[in-house]
Amino acid sequence: MTLNKKNQEEILTKLGIEKLNKMQEEAQKAILFNPEIILLSPTGTGKTLAFLLPIIANLNSKIKDIQVLILVPSRELAIQIEQVIREMGSGYKAIAVYGGRSGSKDKIELKHPPTILIGTPGRIADHINRKIINIQQIKTLVLDEFDKSLEIGFEDEMKDILKNLTAIQKKILTSATQKVKIPSFMELKNPKRLNYLSKKETNLKLQTVVSPKEDKLDSLEKILGVNSKGSGIIFCNFKTSIQIVSDFLHKNSINHGCFSGDLEQLDRERALIKFRNGTHKILIATDLAARGIDIPEMDFIIHYELPTRPDEFIHRNGRTARMNSNGTAYILKYENEELPIFIKNSEEIKIESIKKLTNSNWTTLHISGGRKDKISKGDIAGLFFKQGNIKKDELGVIELKQDCAYVGVKNLNLDSLISKINNSKLKKKKVRISILK
């Protein structure tokens, strides 16, 4: 089989990107011409594309084994990078492996090795030790958001992996945090450093809302009312707090999703899908959602519970006002609470009236066929337009997975739409279509 290798211009066209930003251009040159690179840049500035483009340009299409290993701290980031590589359409295969995913599924997929392997340190170390993957051709190693991996406690696994990778010629480390210690086991000699953390022009507004009640829920409702047409994340420190806020929003008929490490992987993934396609305008989350996951630009974030560390504060805020857009970070504090010393220059505001948050007019549909059935996004769009008779502005984001797909549609005659398209054939597969609960 001849590999259809796309050049950078074709990749950017496919992604709908006209021009790389300055960080991406500089990172690309640095990665092409230096064996060791440390890239520091804020969340949302396009670091993933910055390291993938030069890596893909240097791949050897004649080698039929893994050439690149990308280590990440979370399964969400692994899935996100795999998705970006697929969307680039470079012709090179990528597979993401991580905890919570079936080990036997990994084994089957890895029998046909990808060119790029993405994974969490624990799962990668396990595959190396079990000799499930051949690591002899891995010449490029990326540690994406590496400081987070060390923080979560992957240091032993990462040391183990590095010890086994004897053919490495290029090491790329990325982070969105300034004060980060480079682990000694990386054995960096003279890395090229690119630091964009202090160069980001931000359009972020910091506003503090003081709550007379300790539970802060009435004040939270006021903030959501002021942002009635926007979308955002409510950050909590604990899963119990997420439940309290979720129960309150349910009671007030405010649609939302929840996202934390205690949820099953499928529930987390579906919460993000609904948030990405606009079915839910609100996501209640722990700091797991502060970085390393693929979610769109949003209008605001709310610190329902105060962050305990400066880096948590920075990463939460980094979810809004990204890439030169405007955004507001609301700090919600009980009147007897002291703000941490690292929260500075926040304007205290009062919100008197309560408007009602408008719920989204989009719904997510689940389709029981995916990439393995040779189904494409075009096939799905065609079914909705031709057989479903819906207009272009009534069809939203289509997300294609290995064995299923998710589609955002406007809430117009949903029962009628589903009856028209359910049990239809896409390629050779008869698919069931239902509302994602």
Side-chain angles (χ1 to χ4, degrees):
M1 188 180 88
T2 308
L3 186 72
N4 179 21
K5 189 175 175 184
K6 284 190 170 70
N7 62 32
Q8 181 170 303
E9 195 177 324
E10 289 172 313
I11 289 171
L12 293 180
T13 303
K14 193 168 190 303
L15 293 173
I17 296 170
E18 288 183 19
K19 191 175 183 290
L20 296 176
N21 61 37
K22 191 181 176 189
M23 178 276 289
Q24 290 169 328
E25 286 179 348
E26 285 197 11
Q28 187 171 15
K29 286 176 190 169
I31 290 166
L32 284 171
F33 298 110
N34 295 277
E36 300 173 340
I37 301 92
I38 297 169
L39 173 60
L40 306 179
S41 190
T43 300
T45 50
K47 289 193 292 294
T48 304
L49 196 60
F51 66 71
L52 283 177
L53 283 170
I55 283 173
I56 286 171
N58 267 352
L59 291 172
N60 184 342
S61 58
K62 291 176 184 174
I63 296 174
K64 304 303 177 190
D65 229 316
I66 304 164
Q67 297 179 53
V68 180
L69 175 61
I70 303 174
L71 290 174
V72 295
S74 69
R75 59 188 78 178
E76 282 75 23
L77 186 51
I79 293 165
Q80 179 188 328
I81 294 172
E82 180 189 31
Q83 189 66 29
V84 171
I85 296 168
R86 286 188 192 280
E87 288 171 1
M88 290 169 84
S90 65
Y92 290 104
K93 183 180 175 183
I95 291 177
V97 297
Y98 40 83
R101 180 182 136 116
S102 159
S104 57
K105 186 179 179 182
D106 283 0
K107 205 169 179 179
I108 291 163
E109 287 194 15
L110 291 167
K111 276 185 180 176
H112 303 284
T115 307
I116 303 171
L117 181 63
I118 312 122
T120 48
R123 183 56 63 100
I124 295 289
D126 187 55
H127 285 337
I128 289 174
N129 292 331
R130 290 173 185 267
K131 298 188 168 33
I132 289 168
I133 55 176
N134 177 13
I135 59 174
Q136 303 311 311
Q137 297 291 342
I138 299 177
K139 294 185 170 62
T140 300
L141 174 67
V142 180
L143 269 62
D144 196 19
E145 303 284 11
F146 73 91
D147 56 298
K148 197 72 181 168
S149 295
L150 297 175
E151 186 182 293
I152 292 168
F154 286 130
E155 187 167 353
D156 289 342
E157 286 93 341
M158 287 168 79
K159 280 180 183 174
D160 192 26
I161 293 165
L162 265 292
K163 182 183 70 184
N164 283 286
L165 296 176
T166 54
I168 294 293
Q169 295 175 1
K170 195 176 289 286
K171 296 173 183 174
I172 303 163
L173 284 71
T174 83
S175 177
T177 299
Q178 179 82 260
K179 292 175 182 175
V180 59
K181 188 181 176 187
I182 308 300
S184 58
F185 59 78
M186 284 302 297
E187 296 182 351
L188 297 185
K189 297 174 181 69
N190 186 26
K192 170 80 175 173
R193 289 176 178 265
L194 294 177
N195 187 349
Y196 278 82
L197 291 176
S198 56
K199 297 179 185 179
K200 187 189 179 196
E201 291 180 18
T202 181
N203 297 312
L204 178 71
K205 272 199 300 188
L206 276 180
Q207 296 187 330
T208 298
V209 175
V210 179
S211 168
K213 295 182 180 177
E214 196 167 359
D215 69 10
K216 305 191 271 193
L217 292 169
D218 290 345
S219 298
L220 174 67
E221 189 181 12
K222 288 181 180 180
I223 296 172
L224 292 176
V226 168
N227 293 278
S228 62
K229 292 182 181 175
S231 64
I233 298 181
I234 301 168
F235 280 106
C236 299
N237 295 341
F238 308 103
K239 63 178 180 181
T240 48
S241 314
I242 288 181
Q243 192 59 55
I244 290 165
V245 175
S246 180
D247 291 344
F248 178 76
L249 296 190
H250 275 307
K251 186 180 163 189
N252 287 275
S253 304
I254 297 170
N255 293 338
H256 61 277
C258 297
F259 186 86
S260 76
D262 294 290
L263 294 171
E264 292 291 327
Q265 170 63 20
L266 186 61
D267 293 331
R268 279 156 61 172
E269 192 175 326
R270 288 182 169 185
L272 293 182
I273 285 164
K274 286 185 176 183
F275 191 59
R276 279 197 288 264
N277 68 25
T279 296
H280 288 158
K281 292 160 65 176
I282 302 297
L283 188 69
I284 315 168
T286 59
D287 285 306
L288 188 63
R291 56 175 167 163
I293 57 170
D294 180 22
I295 46 179
E297 177 58 41
M298 63 198 67
D299 305 286
F300 63 91
I301 64 105
I302 300 170
H303 299 277
Y304 175 74
E305 287 177 310
L306 300 177
T308 56
R309 301 199 315 267
D311 60 323
E312 288 172 359
F313 185 60
I314 291 163
H315 291 307
R316 288 179 180 187
N317 292 345
R319 279 295 168 194
T320 188
R322 296 164 71 187
M323 301 295 280
N324 301 318
S325 297
N326 295 318
T328 306
Y330 292 96
I331 298 144
L332 187 47
K333 88 172 193 81
Y334 173 47
E335 59 187 7
N336 293 343
E337 242 179 335
E338 287 291 325
L339 282 184
I341 54 168
F342 52 79
I343 298 181
K344 296 169 183 171
N345 305 318
S346 177
E347 171 198 7
E348 192 171 303
I349 62 162
K350 286 188 178 178
I351 304 171
E352 301 299 341
S353 63
I354 297 185
K355 293 182 191 172
K356 196 73 179 167
L357 182 80
T358 353
N359 277 322
S360 164
N361 60 349
W362 290 86
T363 294
T364 304
L365 299 184
H366 174 268
I367 299 177
S368 66
R371 204 179 286 114
K372 70 175 172 55
D373 305 300
K374 312 295 183 193
I375 294 169
S376 70
K377 289 184 181 181
D379 296 328
I380 294 169
L383 174 68
F384 277 76
F385 293 144
K386 290 172 191 169
Q387 207 166 306
N389 295 320
I390 70 169
K391 296 171 185 171
K392 282 193 177 179
D393 64 352
E394 293 168 353
L395 183 69
V397 176
I398 299 172
E399 291 202 28
L400 197 57
K401 304 295 180 185
Q402 193 65 11
D403 53 5
C404 67
Y406 300 94
V407 185
V409 291
K410 276 210 174 152
N411 298 338
L412 301 169
N413 302 315
L414 279 177
D415 291 339
S416 168
L417 171 64
I418 291 171
S419 69
K420 286 177 190 172
I421 59 177
N422 191 25
N423 292 318
S424 298
K425 267 199 171 182
L426 278 176
K427 287 294 196 284
K428 293 180 181 178
K429 184 177 172 73
K430 194 184 225 187
V431 294
R432 293 185 305 279
I433 299 171
S434 57
I435 294 173
L436 182 65
K437 300 297 184 188

